[in-house]
Amino acid sequence: MSSPVLDIGPPRDPAEAEAFADLLTQSLNFPPRKTVDWLARTPTGEWTLARAGGHVVGGVGVSRVGQWIAGRRVPCAAVWGVGVAPEWRRQGVASVALHAALVEARAAGCAITSLYGSTHGVYRRAGYEACGVCWVYAMPITSLPRRAPPPDVV
């Protein structure tokens, strides 16, 4: 699959930042207010946008963080907020934006990257592989058996 001709870079103005927020709202199924609040806490320099015909069609956020490995902090690029407009999906937009963001992160000194991928294809093509799991157990507290406190507890 050949990638479309895209202009890649950080947001140029507030309208592009808003367009990226709209894409993330659609892509991640976030409530609009949550997306705006979330992006307000991240520097726009952490966003790499993909534009086609002057319109934002996709983007990715990459924050510089650290991972503790062997007792020391290793610079890490944490990938978050990958979003592509529905009409531009499956055309390589996410791959191009992700690649550009990771090249920039590597140039900034990030030795490793991490992400919590919701799909595997695009990230495997970028060189990622599943390397961990997250288990969440939930139950209503009312379903736990009630026990009387020990006699010495007041």
Side-chain angles (χ1 to χ4, degrees):
M1 163 178 44
S2 65
S3 297
V5 176
L6 299 169
D7 176 27
I8 305 294
R12 295 179 178 145
D13 55 44
E16 285 195 345
E18 187 174 325
F20 184 47
D22 289 344
L23 286 178
L24 290 181
T25 296
Q26 286 182 324
S27 297
L28 303 177
N29 196 27
F30 280 178
R33 186 75 243 161
K34 181 178 181 180
T35 306
V36 170
D37 292 345
W38 183 39
L39 289 178
R41 293 189 302 268
T42 63
T44 56
E46 294 183 353
W47 312 348
T48 300
L49 304 184
R51 299 172 200 83
H55 300 284
V56 175
V57 297
V60 58
V62 177
S63 296
R64 309 312 190 264
V65 298
Q67 293 277 344
W68 286 96
I69 300 174
R72 67 183 185 100
R73 184 183 184 276
V74 177
C76 175
V79 178
W80 56 266
V82 179
V84 176
E87 65 274 17
W88 281 89
R89 292 181 186 155
R90 304 197 57 79
Q91 297 183 54
V93 173
S95 294
V96 170
L98 181 61
H99 177 77
L102 295 178
V103 165
E104 184 178 316
R106 181 67 179 141
C110 291
I112 59 175
T113 67
S114 65
L115 65 86
Y116 185 81
S118 59
T119 61
H120 293 251
V122 67
Y123 301 116
R124 281 198 171 133
R125 285 190 297 277
Y128 289 94
E129 187 53 71
C131 66
V133 295
C134 175
W135 296 93
V136 176
Y137 295 96
M139 65 181 356
I141 196 151
T142 56
S143 69
L144 297 174
R146 297 190 78 184
R147 294 176 28 183
D152 58 338
V153 174
V154 180

